[in-house]
């Protein structure tokens, strides 16, 4: 008898969270929760690999229903949290390849075949991610002073002449452009410094001011894959970047260590995978 709970005889859909070599133990699996609407987490064997999955109702997870739900911020956040819980459980047994959120199959056999058919690539990726974690670094331009509103006291005291106003507006645009160029150059220097301590790095699209909640633009949104043995060196480098005063045009924020989501793309051309740093 399997140590893992069995799925229903005719599951609607199978939601897959992550691939590992070693399955999480039954107690840990039983204690974890995936999507609220689905069944218990369980493990499928696919060749020499394991796949952590959950049966979910098609009425809520088929393509049309899921697209509608993921457009609602509350549902999107719940799905993301459920996916991460499934990945965390899988990671308890060793190296893990997180699958994209909402990876769905029509039954166990389809899921097993999908993994078994890519076993060599997944094995190589598990080797690459083992004993390594991800650090996220976001660099923002330093926020400048708020501009005085038209008609404010500052404007009145400086005179209301059109030529004077246009001159000040032009100077502000020039200052913003120069400030952004300095921030971009410093962000490049931050990235170059951190890559010295990473085995791979990748850049994501900078987040909008609506997402960050900051008035100043994000000029670098990067992730670094770091050997666990080098984590202390990486965090010391981060501390120096924020403490030694050499960068005055940017603010550096970091978080980690994380499961290496950014480096677990097993479905892309290797030539387009995140850049490998060093050998």
């Amino acid at each position: 008898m399997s140590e893992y709970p069995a799925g229903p005889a005719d599951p609607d859909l199978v939601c897959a969270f992550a691939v590992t070599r070693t399955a999480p133990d039954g107690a840990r699996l039983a204690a974890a929760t995936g999507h609220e609407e689905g069944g218990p987490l369980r493990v499928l064997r696919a060749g020499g690999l394991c796949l952590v999955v959950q049966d979910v109702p098609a009425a809520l997870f088929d393509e049309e229903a899921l697209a509608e739900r993921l457009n609602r911020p509350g549902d999107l956040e719940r799905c993301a949290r459920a996916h991460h819980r499934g990945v965390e459980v899988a990671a308890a047994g060793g190296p893990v390849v997180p699958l994209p959120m909402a990876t769905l199959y029509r039954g166990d056999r389809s899921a097993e075949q999908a993994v078994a058919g890519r076993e060599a690539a997944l094995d190589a990726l598990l080797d690459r991610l083992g004993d390594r974690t991800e650090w996220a670094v976001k660099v923002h331009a330093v926020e400048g002073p708020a501009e005085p509103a038209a008609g404010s006291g500052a404007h009145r005291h400086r005179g209301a002449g059109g030529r004077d106003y246009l001159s000040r507006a032009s100077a502000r645009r020039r200052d913003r452009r120069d400030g952004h160029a300095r921030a971009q150059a410093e962000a490049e220097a931050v990235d170059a410094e951190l890559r010295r301590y990473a085995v791979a790095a990748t850049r994501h699209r900078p987040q909008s001011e609506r997402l960050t909640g900051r008035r100043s633009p994000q000029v670098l949104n990067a992730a670094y894959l770091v050997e666990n043995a080098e984590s202390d060196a990486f965090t010391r480098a981060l501390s120096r970047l924020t403490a030694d005063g050499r960068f005055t045009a940017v603010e550096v924020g970091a978080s980690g260590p994380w499961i290496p989501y950014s480096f677990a793309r097993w479905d892309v051309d290797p030539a387009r995978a995140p850049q490998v740093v060093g050998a």
Side-chain angles (χ1 to χ4, degrees):
M1 178 179 295
S2 170
E3 61 183 306
Y4 307 108
D10 184 21
D12 286 332
L13 290 172
V14 173
C15 180
F17 297 96
V19 174
T20 68
R21 290 195 180 102
T22 305
D25 66 64
R28 187 183 292 271
L29 206 61
T33 56
H35 295 283
E36 301 163 9
E37 307 88 346
L41 299 187
R42 58 194 180 90
V43 171
L44 297 177
R45 302 282 183 179
L49 301 176
C50 302
L51 184 61
V52 174
V53 302
Q54 180 187 26
D55 299 308
V56 292
L60 293 175
F61 284 83
D62 69 11
E63 185 174 353
E64 184 178 350
L66 194 60
E68 182 181 337
R69 295 173 63 213
L70 296 184
N71 275 325
R72 296 193 289 265
D75 282 347
L76 175 61
E77 182 178 349
R78 278 193 292 278
C79 283
R81 290 183 182 280
H83 181 73
H84 184 63
R85 290 194 296 269
V87 174
E88 275 190 317
V89 169
V96 62
V97 175
L99 300 180
M101 188 174 73
T103 297
L104 297 158
Y105 297 99
R106 294 199 177 279
D108 289 358
R109 185 168 174 77
S110 293
E112 292 162 352
Q113 287 177 332
V115 172
R118 295 176 180 262
E119 186 169 357
L122 286 163
D123 250 333
L125 193 48
L126 286 166
D127 284 341
R128 181 170 179 250
L129 299 181
D131 296 322
R132 293 169 173 174
T133 48
E134 176 175 335
W135 287 80
V137 175
K138 301 180 192 303
V139 179
H140 287 84
V142 170
E143 194 166 305
E147 295 182 7
S152 68
H155 278 277
R156 289 194 298 272
H157 289 306
R158 290 176 185 175
R163 181 174 300 176
D164 184 50
Y165 173 78
L166 291 174
S167 176
R168 290 198 303 275
S170 176
R172 285 196 297 272
R173 285 196 297 272
R174 186 170 57 250
D175 287 346
R176 282 198 299 270
R177 187 170 59 246
D178 292 348
H180 185 77
R182 284 196 301 274
Q184 197 67 60
E186 291 189 1
E188 294 295 331
V190 167
D191 182 48
E193 176 71 9
L194 293 178
R195 284 173 184 253
R196 296 174 55 202
Y197 302 91
V199 294
T202 188
R203 294 189 183 192
H204 303 298
R205 185 191 300 275
Q207 295 172 314
S208 69
E209 294 171 23
R210 182 178 64 83
L211 284 177
T212 64
R214 300 178 59 138
R215 192 160 57 86
S216 59
Q218 187 174 89
V219 289
L220 178 68
N221 181 12
Y224 302 88
L225 185 65
V226 179
E227 297 271 10
N228 290 344
E230 294 295 318
S231 284
D232 288 347
F234 186 83
T235 55
R236 283 197 297 272
L238 273 171
S239 297
R240 287 195 298 273
L241 289 172
T242 57
D244 64 9
R246 75 182 121 152
F247 297 125
T248 58
V250 296
E251 294 175 356
V252 181
S255 61
W258 303 110
I259 292 170
Y261 282 93
S262 297
F263 302 91
R265 296 295 306 275
W266 56 288
D267 56 343
V268 298
D269 182 340
R272 299 175 61 192
Q275 178 184 352
V276 175
V277 179

